[in-house]
Amino acid sequence: MTVRVPLADLSSFVRSVLAECGLDEQAAGTAADVITYADAHGFTTHGTNGLVNIYAPRLLDGRIAADAAPRVVRETSGAALLDGDRGLGLVTMDLAMDIAMDKARQTGIGMVAVRNSTHFGSAGYYTQKAAAAGLIGLAMTNCGAQGVAPPLGGTVRMLGTNPISAAVPVTEGVPFVLDMSTTVVATGKIKAAHREGREVPREWLVRHDGTPTTDPAAFMAEEADVAWLGGPGETGGAKGFGLALLVDLLCGPLSGSAYGPRPGVLEGQPAGDDNVGHTAIVIDPSAFGSAHDIAAENRVLLDTVANSPAAAYATRGVTYPGAPEAARYERSRREGVELPLPVAEGLTALAGRLGVTAPGALAAQDLRAAA
């Protein structure tokens, strides 16, 4: 079951919660934008679900520094190293993308590596921001030293889901926005299925003997692991695994942050998801010609894809990354943001704990009716 909350109401509520957690007005507004972007575009594991289960608890207990002051510690004309000061990754990565965008406008390309940060939410938020400004954006993050998946063919969890996003501008309409984990699914979806008592598709989880399972409890008990994008090696799993390693290489050693395949991991050294690393890369198309003409050609390319004949099994026709999510956003804007009932209940409990007024749609009687 789900609950719909007006987008403006949800955004205002999230800002109020984050302010009660110690963020200043500007930081709370930025973080609320990232969080509600995820829910409104259909990335429900990375929106207010993260507020309930990651951001608010860790801001309140000090694992995330509410008063962090991210700062540039190294810089050239086209690159920078940003220290997040243990702050909220949603705010730190937004700053990193802004710096990369400024450098791209000056030099044609800008790159910012981030260390000492935390979970940054939906990667697509940052890249679509670049695309909306007429720039090409790439964003990626590791999971610190936390291991949620073993290397392909291995048994020790030492890499994160290591998501990566890319967005390309167009003259009008919906840009290309790719937002993906390097595993076949984000682990938040497995955890949500476990909480709700649901099975998962058999392609998501692989037991240690190589057999698939639909039971998310097997993942929680570390009896099964999330599969890499592509599945086993025979069907292309080396591609997802290789991308995950690339993300750790570009977000870990490059920035000085933690990373999964670290010394000690094979001896059972405890792992954590602090000192997370991110990387933002921005390219200015005008460095290669007319930015307008390039964006217009991008529009032609994407329209040609979307207008191509659909196969009989493709019940929703042909589309491209970014278009379904944009349609979901428009529906969220018109009809309200659709939240899973457990997330809505978690938000109501959080509001009560902090003394923040929850949107009317999250009132207890509405949740009981939805159930």
Side-chain angles (χ1 to χ4, degrees):
M1 303 298 293
T2 60
V3 177
R4 287 193 178 273
V5 183
L7 179 55
D9 291 353
L10 184 64
S11 179
S12 177
F13 170 66
V14 172
R15 283 197 301 274
S16 296
V17 167
L18 290 168
E20 287 297 320
C21 291
L23 294 187
D24 63 34
E25 183 178 356
Q26 182 177 353
T30 296
D33 287 346
V34 183
I35 288 169
T36 54
Y37 168 93
D39 279 325
H41 285 79
F43 300 106
T44 54
T45 56
H46 286 61
T48 48
N49 177 67
L51 178 66
V52 170
N53 294 302
I54 302 174
Y55 311 133
R58 296 184 186 189
L59 284 165
L60 292 170
D61 69 15
R63 283 182 290 172
I64 297 177
D67 60 350
R71 64 193 184 280
V72 173
V73 294
R74 286 180 71 94
E75 188 171 20
T76 68
S77 59
L81 173 62
L82 184 67
D83 189 296
D85 196 29
R86 261 190 338 107
L88 192 61
L90 312 173
V91 178
T92 303
M93 185 58 174
D94 187 66
L95 174 60
M97 182 56 71
D98 283 344
I99 295 172
M101 289 167 62
D102 286 343
K103 289 185 176 296
R105 292 186 183 103
Q106 296 168 16
T107 67
I109 185 167
M111 181 170 175
V112 178
V114 181
R115 71 186 186 199
N116 203 17
S117 187
T118 58
H119 191 283
F120 81 177
S122 179
Y125 174 85
Y126 311 104
T127 59
Q128 63 81 33
K129 181 178 182 178
L135 303 167
I136 299 168
L138 292 93
M140 62 193 78
T141 183
N142 69 10
C143 296
Q146 183 183 30
V148 299
L152 190 66
T155 60
V156 177
R157 293 181 177 182
M158 62 175 68
L159 291 113
T161 55
N162 291 10
I164 186 168
S165 176
V168 179
V170 294
T171 46
E172 58 184 16
V174 179
F176 172 93
V177 184
L178 175 70
D179 187 349
M180 52 172 271
S181 62
T182 52
T183 51
V184 73
V185 68
T187 56
K189 292 187 177 181
I190 300 170
K191 295 173 183 177
H194 182 252
R195 287 194 299 270
E196 297 165 20
R198 295 184 287 106
E199 291 188 334
V200 299
R202 68 192 308 273
E203 295 83 6
W204 286 12
L205 297 175
V206 182
R207 292 189 181 276
H208 296 163
D209 63 3
T211 59
T213 178
T214 61
D215 183 5
F219 174 79
M220 304 302 293
E222 299 193 18
E223 297 169 356
D225 297 307
V226 62
W228 291 110
L229 189 66
E234 294 78 7
T235 59
K239 298 173 183 178
F241 169 54
L243 280 173
L245 279 176
L246 175 65
V247 170
D248 243 335
L249 288 164
L250 294 183
C251 294
L254 188 68
S255 67
S257 75
Y259 52 90
R262 67 204 181 284
V265 66
L266 298 180
E267 285 73 46
Q269 185 183 77
D273 57 354
D274 52 356
N275 192 15
V276 172
H278 321 309
T279 293
I281 303 171
V282 179
I283 301 165
D284 186 350
S286 66
F288 303 89
S290 165
H292 180 273
D293 290 350
I294 293 170
E297 288 297 324
N298 293 339
R299 178 75 276 158
V300 170
L301 186 158
L302 295 174
D303 284 347
T304 303
V305 169
N307 293 328
S308 62
Y313 63 82
T315 56
R316 297 184 181 179
V318 180
T319 186
Y320 60 88
E325 294 80 10
R328 174 70 175 260
Y329 171 77
E330 288 303 318
R331 187 163 68 252
S332 297
R333 188 177 57 81
R334 293 192 310 269
E335 303 173 9
V337 179
E338 190 174 6
L339 300 177
L341 183 58
V343 174
E345 291 173 334
L347 290 172
T348 301
L350 183 61
R353 177 184 178 188
L354 297 176
V356 175
T357 301
L362 294 180
Q365 63 269 23
D366 292 328
L367 298 184
R368 284 197 297 268

